[in-house]
Amino acid sequence: MDEKIMERLKKLLALSKSPNQHEAALALEKAQRFMAENGLCQDDIDLLDIGETLADSVLSSASAPPEYMGWLLTVITMAMGCKVLIFTENWVLPHFS
């Protein structure tokens, strides 16, 4: 999702939680219209605030990552629009995207 679109939607959704009922209703209406215009759904909203996460362990003690792990990470990055960076003492992989 484009950064400008994401930021605009975040601002509208924040305004929709305003204590001023009129302002909140207007912001929610605008957010819904904005989502429809940009082909967004509730899942897109749910994913807005996901930033990054770290895993402190890898399920392999191999000196190189198993082939399936690379394929799995590739599928995840394609589905979620994210990047993966793997670093351990044994091996380093560039991010998959």
Side-chain angles (χ1 to χ4, degrees):
M1 183 183 328
D2 182 28
E3 278 296 313
K4 287 183 180 181
I5 292 173
M6 189 167 70
E7 287 304 315
R8 170 108 168 118
L9 185 55
K10 280 184 179 182
K11 287 178 183 178
L12 287 170
L13 292 173
L15 276 175
S16 73
K17 296 176 183 169
S18 168
N20 179 323
Q21 291 180 348
H22 179 69
E23 183 179 52
L26 188 60
L28 183 58
E29 182 183 327
K30 285 184 179 183
Q32 290 171 336
R33 190 173 338 115
F34 186 75
M35 288 172 57
E37 290 170 359
N38 289 284
L40 302 174
C41 64
Q42 184 63 42
D43 290 339
D44 297 314
I45 293 172
D46 295 340
L47 296 174
L48 280 178
D49 292 323
I50 295 177
E52 72 177 40
T53 186
L54 301 174
D56 58 358
S57 65
V58 177
L59 301 176
S60 175
S61 59
S63 60
E67 186 175 353
Y68 80 87
M69 189 180 293
W71 287 110
L72 178 60
L73 291 173
T74 300
V75 170
I76 291 169
T77 59
M78 291 171 65
M80 301 302 293
C82 62
K83 295 182 180 181
V84 175
L85 177 65
I86 299 174
F87 173 78
T88 69
E89 292 177 18
N90 296 333
W91 39 273
V92 177
L93 288 178
H95 63 276
F96 297 91
S97 25

